[in-house]
Amino acid sequence: MSIGGSDLDRAITQLRACKPIPENQVRELCYKARELLIEEGNVVGVDAPVTICGDIHGQFHDLMELFRVGGDVPDTNYLFMGDFVDRGFYSLESFLLLLCLKVRYPDRITLIRGNHESRQITTVYGFYDECLRKYGSVNVWRYCCEVFDFLALGALVTGAATSLTPTDGPIAESIQSMDIPDADCDIEIETLNAQGEIMYRYARNSDSQSSAASQANSNAASSSPIAPTPSNTGPAGTGATSSANGSSKSETGAVLCVHGGLSPLIDTIDKIRLLDRKQEVPHEGAMCDLLWSDPDEIDGWGLSPRGAGFLFGADIVKCFNHKNDLSLIARAHQLVMEGFKEMFESTIVTVWSAPNYCYRCGNVAAILELGEDGSNAGFVRRGNGERGGGGRGWVLGSNDGPNANGMSNENRRLSSVLGDSMGRPRDGPGRRYRVFEAAPQDSRGMPAKKPVADYFL
Ligand SMILES: [Mn+2]
């Protein structure tokens, strides 16, 4: 039988109920998915608005919670950064549901490859055994692995807004006092809980605003009679130049999404585009690095304790972002207790979407929403724009007053996820993080199986 139209909708309904679909339907689904994915480049172009998600790891009920918090497909445009399978008990249902949604709404969901989307890794970390247990054969595992080989290696998000439209929501109860930026203020970061309540809000530093204003003014002043020299290049992240001078369109640098991170063999996004990706994840080389590497507080490149990929420092990220006109790299791959973590002055962020990882880590999860640049806000600094002076943030709860160490508890908590970016000038797109906890169905009564020592895989 073929899977399409109403069959596909039926399969989606069945998978949403966490029930596997018959083997012949999986075969058809994987065939259709491959036909779609084969047409995608190694780096998929995605337009904002988009919601970026990190590792899922077979935690089906938490994926349902993610959709509840972030909105359903196709109402919300999603980008999943890999590691759909292994570790959790429902890799099969999780991956097949995402694949069904991809086939049903190809323009509303983007799936890129994680290091677990591999024959070798799934054989060790659970997905192979799960398929064997649920179907009595490994055929379904084979079909899925053939899809893995066609998943894109990255995505490039363009058209993201620099300022968030402030959420018109209630303030979380845990926030006792508030000091919200003015409504017309440039909101850079907002964090909401699963109920949509505001946990904190952070404004872009005022210096960059004034420099933005003066730049906008100078653009306006020079609009005639001589067209200004176009300082912006072409579509962000493409490295191309544009002849559209004088445009006051608000545009940030692009956001590169990749599962792991950067590679010493890759200095431009175009080099990712040239890779032959349609194969099992190699043990080394550029494709391997993109799926396995991690940012770290080092200079340059370092050896990874994972035994694959590399560690890379702030200098590597800043250089890569500048060269490729990126305002941010979004990646997954590492457990973050707070669900997300920005590093290196917000040039890179880790997004982790598996709450209470392995049903025992006690972490929360997060998704990252990038808004559409629908504003006519004028000048917006790009990823390779010059930086201004010291910044100023407005933080919900920040007038609790500093403690003995000169830092409020809220600021202390903030600094753990915003890292060294606090109070510094930043150029990134507006970022709304939605943080959520494990779904009760999945955490209740689940026996903690054998301890998992190597979370970092
Ligand atoms: Mn990973």
Side-chain angles (χ1 to χ4, degrees):
M1 75 175 274
S2 79
I3 188 160
S6 59
D7 287 340
L8 192 52
D9 285 332
R10 216 170 300 131
I12 290 172
T13 303
Q14 192 165 337
L15 286 166
R16 275 191 202 275
C18 199
K19 295 192 180 108
I21 56 175
E23 182 177 319
N24 63 336
Q25 283 190 21
V26 178
R27 193 185 62 233
E28 287 295 329
L29 171 67
C30 289
Y31 181 81
K32 279 237 158 69
R34 249 176 14 190
E35 280 187 323
L36 267 176
L37 295 171
I38 202 169
E39 297 297 329
E40 291 185 341
N42 292 343
V43 182
V44 188
V46 174
D47 294 326
V50 63
T51 298
I52 299 170
C53 311
D55 295 35
I56 300 300
H57 280 302
Q59 297 184 198
F60 179 86
H61 301 93
D62 299 322
L63 177 60
M64 294 301 99
E65 176 70 0
L66 185 156
F67 285 136
R68 191 189 69 75
V69 168
D72 237 321
V73 183
D75 306 327
T76 301
N77 185 24
Y78 278 103
L79 196 169
F80 286 88
M81 299 190 290
D83 278 11
F84 315 109
V85 300
D86 285 341
R87 302 292 196 185
F89 300 127
Y90 306 97
S91 292
L92 179 82
E93 294 83 355
S94 303
F95 181 62
L96 292 183
L97 175 59
L98 291 172
L99 213 53
C100 274
L101 294 171
K102 175 68 187 174
V103 171
R104 180 71 176 80
Y105 309 101
D107 299 328
R108 302 296 293 170
I109 180 165
T110 302
L111 307 176
I112 66 177
R113 192 171 191 174
N115 61 307
H116 277 263
E117 278 70 59
S118 134
R119 288 166 188 78
Q120 193 176 1
I121 298 294
T122 51
T123 305
V124 177
Y125 292 98
F127 184 49
Y128 176 95
D129 291 333
E130 185 185 323
C131 291
L132 186 57
R133 190 173 70 248
K134 289 177 177 169
Y135 289 95
S137 83
V138 297
N139 292 339
V140 162
W141 173 78
R142 282 212 188 89
Y143 301 147
C144 291
C145 289
E146 286 167 10
V147 174
F148 295 162
D149 289 343
F150 288 86
L151 290 170
L153 304 179
L156 194 64
V157 179
T158 50
T162 44
S163 308
L164 291 175
T165 308
T167 297
D168 186 22
I171 310 295
E173 237 175 59
S174 58
I175 306 298
Q176 296 183 346
S177 56
M178 53 192 216
D179 182 9
I180 304 181
D182 298 336
D184 57 350
C185 183
D186 183 358
I187 307 293
E188 181 176 7
I189 304 172
E190 205 173 64
T191 298
L192 309 182
N193 63 21
Q195 287 72 49
E197 297 167 336
I198 301 164
M199 294 166 73
Y200 64 80
R201 183 179 281 171
Y202 202 81
R204 202 173 300 269
N205 73 80
S206 48
D207 282 6
S208 76
Q209 282 185 319
S210 59
S211 89
S214 67
Q215 178 80 30
N217 285 341
S218 78
N219 276 351
S222 62
S223 63
S224 67
I226 303 164
T229 306
S231 56
N232 287 355
T233 55
T238 61
T241 53
S242 166
S243 59
N245 53 5
S247 165
S248 63
K249 186 168 71 123
S250 176
E251 188 180 285
T252 57
V255 178
L256 177 68
C257 302
V258 66
H259 179 73
L262 299 177
S263 166
L265 299 169
I266 298 282
D267 63 344
T268 65
I269 289 172
D270 278 339
K271 287 191 180 158
I272 304 177
R273 294 189 165 102
L274 294 174
L275 298 171
D276 173 21
R277 78 170 191 269
K278 288 149 188 166
Q279 53 171 320
E280 169 73 349
V281 182
H283 289 152
E284 57 182 16
M287 177 170 158
C288 168
D289 298 342
L290 294 168
L291 273 55
W292 280 93
S293 294
D294 298 298
D296 197 17
E297 304 289 344
I298 57 169
D299 289 327
W301 297 96
L303 289 178
S304 171
R306 297 176 189 267
F310 290 87
L311 302 177
F312 53 97
D315 50 341
I316 302 293
V317 175
K318 286 174 186 177
C319 186
F320 187 89
N321 287 8
H322 179 86
K323 188 164 189 175
N324 292 280
D325 195 15
L326 301 175
S327 55
L328 180 69
I329 294 174
R331 46 89 62 175
H333 195 40
Q334 277 177 302
L335 171 63
V336 184
M337 293 306 286
E338 296 83 8
F340 71 95
K341 181 179 185 174
E342 300 193 348
M343 292 173 73
F344 309 157
E345 296 180 48
S346 299
T347 52
I348 188 165
V349 60
T350 299
V351 180
W352 182 266
S353 304
N356 195 25
Y357 181 41
C358 295
Y359 311 111
R360 63 196 298 280
C361 284
N363 62 289
V364 298
I367 53 179
L368 165 57
E369 294 178 357
L370 300 180
E372 180 182 15
D373 176 23
S375 72
N376 221 354
F379 173 76
V380 166
R381 297 197 298 169
R382 299 168 67 87
N384 54 6
E386 73 282 6
R387 286 161 181 275
R392 176 182 167 205
W394 291 260
V395 180
L396 290 177
S398 66
N399 51 5
D400 287 347
N403 62 13
N405 296 325
M407 201 184 212
S408 73
N409 288 333
E410 184 61 20
N411 274 343
R412 186 181 304 288
R413 202 176 60 73
L414 262 180
S415 72
S416 77
V417 292
L418 298 181
D420 51 13
S421 72
M422 276 196 75
R424 302 250 191 120
R426 293 169 306 273
D427 301 324
R431 311 182 289 287
R432 175 174 293 117
Y433 296 99
R434 290 187 190 268
V435 174
F436 61 98
E437 296 180 9
Q441 299 96 312
D442 216 13
S443 43
R444 189 189 339 130
M446 276 296 179
K449 296 188 91 179
K450 57 190 171 188
V452 184
D454 45 348
Y455 300 119
F456 54 81
L457 278 176

